[in-house]
Amino acid sequence: MRSIWNGAISFGLVSIPIKLVNATESHSISFRQIHLEDGGRIRYRKVCELEEKEVSGAEIGKGYEDADGTIIPITDEDLSHLPLPTAKTIEIVAFVPADRIDPLQMDAAYYLAAGGAPAAKPYTLLREALKRSNKVAIAKYALRGRERLGMLRVVDDAIAMHGLLWPDEVRAPEGVAPDTNVNVNDKELDLADALMDTLGEIDLDELHDEYREALEEVVAAKAAGEAPPESPEPARGGKVLDLMAALEKSVRAAKESRGEEPPPSEEKAEVKRLPARKSARTTPKQTTGKKSTSTAGKTAAKKTTASTSASASAKKSTTKSTQGTKKTTAKKTTAKKTPAKKTASRKRTA
């Protein structure tokens, strides 16, 4: 890897020659501006606005624009006299626990490579000291014309340096958090914890840039004179009206995606919209007051228990039918006796 800066690490009286190497690289696809009419490249030219002519890089210098628009030329000679002790030195100023560093301050990442054989011993000493102390080193260094803040830590067998923003460069999150009072109950927190536990951890090496891969397919198809592939329309999330149901459904979906079967007692949660209100005019009246809409539920419950109570139902049916037969016979007998009594009374009258 090509170094972008050569210097030394300094802490106390120890000096370690090092080379600064980029620890990250960009794989994003960049585009050029073109003329839509003929596909020609659009290029930017550096033109002096006073002479209205293009100038070369050798003719371009630095200048500071004052509040009134006046340009104050600043030469490299002027900058060379600045009191910048870190121009060629990464100066360690402190060793602190890693959790003292706010992730918002993290900037570009670099590897510090030992600058030759003489640097191997002090380089290893610093690396092992950082490992054993479980601390990171805070340092100041100069790069590309300005002094910067950095953090040194151990990555495998190398020392890495993260550029840090100065504390006054991190903005306070004023006006970002919701300004309304929201109460979260324990059950909602328990479901959120369950969802976090179900999702678990992930191997970051498995993550990849799906947008870049799709963009590469489009470029390849256009280069081959083919129609670009069509991507499925992303799912649009509906309006969630029940946070608890959404959490329960998310937990269940996460378990199913991992091949885990949820407990049998766990009910499926559904996110539904609230039903529209019906007015009194459109609500049909019930013909009888005894019947209710729960009849179907009761019928379904009876069907589910029919298999276990079949014999009992049969006995009851037999008993009812026998009793019904006896009652019917009794009624017929009574009906026959009644006309006989009436006939006898008529004869006496006559």
Side-chain angles (χ1 to χ4, degrees), residues 47-341:
V47 177
C48 174
E49 64 180 17
L50 296 179
E51 299 181 1
E52 295 185 353
K53 71 173 185 178
E54 186 178 354
V55 295
S56 63
E59 301 176 87
I60 299 174
K62 299 180 180 67
Y64 175 80
E65 184 175 3
D66 207 350
D68 59 359
T70 304
I71 301 297
I72 303 172
I74 302 294
T75 65
D76 293 338
E77 180 68 18
D78 298 329
L79 297 176
S80 65
H81 295 295
L82 287 176
L84 194 61
T86 56
K88 283 293 182 180
T89 304
I90 298 175
E91 182 183 356
I92 295 177
V93 296
F95 293 89
V96 300
D99 58 8
R100 286 271 304 276
I101 306 302
D102 189 341
L104 286 174
Q105 289 185 256
M106 305 289 281
D107 202 358
Y110 308 95
Y111 288 131
L112 303 181
K121 179 70 174 181
Y123 185 97
T124 305
L125 174 64
L126 176 59
R127 182 191 66 198
E128 296 304 315
L130 289 172
K131 280 184 180 180
R132 191 168 69 172
S133 66
N134 290 323
K135 293 183 177 181
V136 296
I138 304 300
K140 296 169 69 175
Y141 67 102
L143 184 65
R144 298 188 179 96
R146 71 183 185 93
E147 190 172 57
R148 304 166 188 259
L149 194 63
M151 178 190 75
L152 277 63
R153 68 183 183 96
V154 178
V155 177
D156 295 335
D157 290 331
I159 298 176
M161 182 174 69
H162 296 269
L164 298 178
L165 299 175
W166 296 99
D168 60 357
E169 292 180 318
V170 179
R171 300 172 62 184
E174 296 178 358
V176 177
D179 56 357
T180 56
N181 294 327
V182 178
N183 294 324
V184 179
N185 58 47
D186 291 339
K187 189 173 182 181
E188 291 170 336
L189 284 174
D190 292 341
L191 281 172
D193 290 340
L195 178 59
M196 292 169 64
D197 293 338
T198 304
L199 292 176
E201 297 183 358
I202 191 173
D203 185 0
L204 295 180
D205 293 335
E206 296 179 358
L207 301 178
H208 55 93
D209 189 348
E210 296 181 9
Y211 177 81
R212 176 174 59 86
E213 293 174 355
L215 191 57
E216 289 174 347
E217 292 180 4
V218 171
V219 173
K222 295 281 286 186
E226 302 173 355
E230 295 184 2
S231 301
E233 185 176 353
R236 296 179 180 178
K239 184 178 180 180
V240 178
L241 300 178
D242 189 344
L243 179 60
M244 293 292 294
L247 287 171
E248 291 173 359
K249 188 174 181 180
S250 300
V251 171
R252 188 175 187 89
K255 289 181 178 180
E256 292 176 353
S257 66
R258 290 178 173 270
E260 301 177 9
E261 291 293 335
S265 60
E266 184 177 340
E267 298 181 357
K268 290 186 177 180
E270 295 183 0
V271 181
K272 296 181 179 180
R273 295 183 180 275
L274 294 176
R277 293 183 178 179
K278 294 182 180 180
S279 62
R281 295 180 181 178
T282 59
T283 304
K285 296 182 178 180
Q286 295 180 352
T287 56
T288 59
K290 294 183 180 180
K291 293 184 179 181
S292 64
T293 57
S294 62
T295 305
K298 293 181 179 179
T299 304
K302 290 180 180 179
K303 287 183 179 179
T304 57
T305 56
S307 59
T308 58
S309 59
S311 58
S313 299
K315 289 180 180 179
K316 290 181 180 179
S317 300
T318 304
T319 304
K320 288 182 179 180
S321 62
T322 303
Q323 292 176 353
T325 304
K326 290 181 179 181
K327 290 179 179 180
T328 305
T329 305
K331 287 180 180 180
K332 288 181 179 181
T333 304
T334 305
K336 289 179 180 181
K337 290 181 178 181
T338 302
K341 290 181 178 181

